[in-house]
Amino acid sequence: DTGVSQDPRHKITKRGQNVTFRCDPISEHNRLYWYRQTLGQGPEFLTYFQNEAQLEKSRLLSDRFSAERPKGSFSTLEIQRTEQGDSAMYLCASSSVTGAAGGYNEQFFGPGTRLTVL
Amino acid sequence: AQSVTQLDSHVSVSEGTPVLLRCNYSSSYSPSLFWYVQHPNKGLQLLLKYTSAATLVKGINGFEAEFKKSETSFHLTKPSAHMSDAAEYFCVVGKTSGGYNKLIFGAGTRLAVHP
């Protein structure tokens, strides 16, 4: 399978604990995105990497959240001191940078990591 | 600012009947618009995209959408629903800059298909 993969698929944690999620993009894609999806809502943009550089961060990404992409391949999203409001599906997507018709490079999404904070 | 509004949170149709999922958008400039589908336990999948070319856009699995600037709408249609179409559908607006799109999703429409 050469799609976007995420690990773990499910995570249950207690409030106050730290959690880390991993995303492996499609191998030739150098753009990587994180989104958060709460129940009954559409995904919301969190942050974006081009290679190892984090180029944009949403205001949703509080200082308890940190994302890295150290070698421009896989990425991690860490949440420190989790709160019940962090319970959501965390989605990762990747895209290429090569030219595409209409200037849009499709984002391919992984299956997500569902976080439950008790 | 850009946003999308999906006018129906739930739509229920019978198998073989037409599907209409409604979306209105707001954008201060010519938008890029998309429809994504999300099946349970699967990743979001792009159905179709509008990027200022033809206003009638054809996508996968028989879906199509028409961009109507005068109505600021981008409704998704399919002539005949299949059971496998049951899923969550998201209308999305994106700002394109050098191939990078910051996607802004609507709240979603859950489509149910009955035998």
Side-chain angles (χ1 to χ4, degrees):
Chain A
D1 188 343
T2 57
V4 178
S5 61
Q6 293 187 245
D7 184 70
R9 295 290 304 275
H10 302 274
K11 178 71 177 178
I12 299 174
T13 191
K14 293 182 179 179
R15 188 176 53 187
Q17 298 295 304
N18 298 344
V19 294
T20 299
F21 310 139
R22 177 180 170 122
C23 170
D24 286 89
I26 294 171
S27 59
E28 62 268 26
H29 287 179
N30 52 6
R31 289 186 168 139
L32 187 145
Y33 315 79
W34 285 99
Y35 294 83
R36 181 174 70 186
Q37 184 177 16
T38 53
L39 201 60
Q41 298 297 317
E44 297 172 291
F45 172 83
L46 291 179
T47 190
Y48 154 66
F49 289 85
Q50 182 160 322
N51 299 311
E52 65 275 11
Q54 189 173 19
L55 298 185
E56 186 169 352
K57 292 170 61 173
S58 163
R59 289 173 294 175
L60 293 174
L61 216 62
S62 75
D63 55 8
R64 295 187 298 106
F65 288 71
S66 62
E68 295 182 344
R69 196 182 181 198
K71 296 184 179 180
S73 57
F74 72 91
S75 175
T76 58
L77 177 68
E78 181 183 15
I79 309 174
Q80 296 182 326
R81 306 180 302 281
T82 53
E83 302 173 355
Q84 289 184 325
D86 297 331
S87 295
M89 177 78 83
Y90 290 84
L91 298 168
C92 177
S94 69
S95 71
S96 66
V97 292
T98 53
Y104 172 68
N105 295 70
E106 180 179 348
Q107 294 183 26
F108 293 84
F109 284 81
T113 294
R114 182 169 296 283
L115 172 67
T116 302
V117 182
L118 302 176
Chain B
Q2 296 166 287
S3 65
V4 288
T5 301
Q6 293 185 243
L7 301 175
D8 307 291
S9 59
H10 292 84
V11 170
S12 181
V13 300
S14 298
E15 191 175 21
T17 64
V19 175
L20 170 63
L21 305 183
R22 299 182 295 163
C23 172
N24 286 350
Y25 71 89
S26 174
S27 177
S28 54
Y29 43 82
S30 183
S32 296
L33 291 163
F34 315 88
W35 277 96
Y36 275 82
V37 61
Q38 188 175 38
H39 287 94
N41 299 316
K42 292 188 177 181
L44 286 156
Q45 182 183 20
L46 180 66
L47 275 179
L48 49 81
K49 62 186 179 188
Y50 166 77
T51 53
S52 72
T55 56
L56 182 62
V57 181
K58 294 187 183 299
I60 61 172
N61 300 334
F63 285 95
E64 62 181 38
E66 186 171 9
F67 173 73
K68 292 187 176 180
K69 185 175 181 179
S70 61
E71 299 176 8
T72 62
S73 70
F74 190 58
H75 301 334
L76 181 70
T77 60
K78 183 173 181 178
S80 177
H82 295 158
M83 296 296 290
S84 60
D85 294 328
E88 187 91 18
Y89 291 80
F90 294 97
C91 182
V92 183
V93 63
K95 178 180 177 182
T96 301
S97 176
Y100 157 54
N101 257 275
K102 179 178 177 180
L103 301 181
I104 300 167
F105 286 75
T109 297
R110 182 164 297 277
L111 176 65
V113 182
H114 302 288

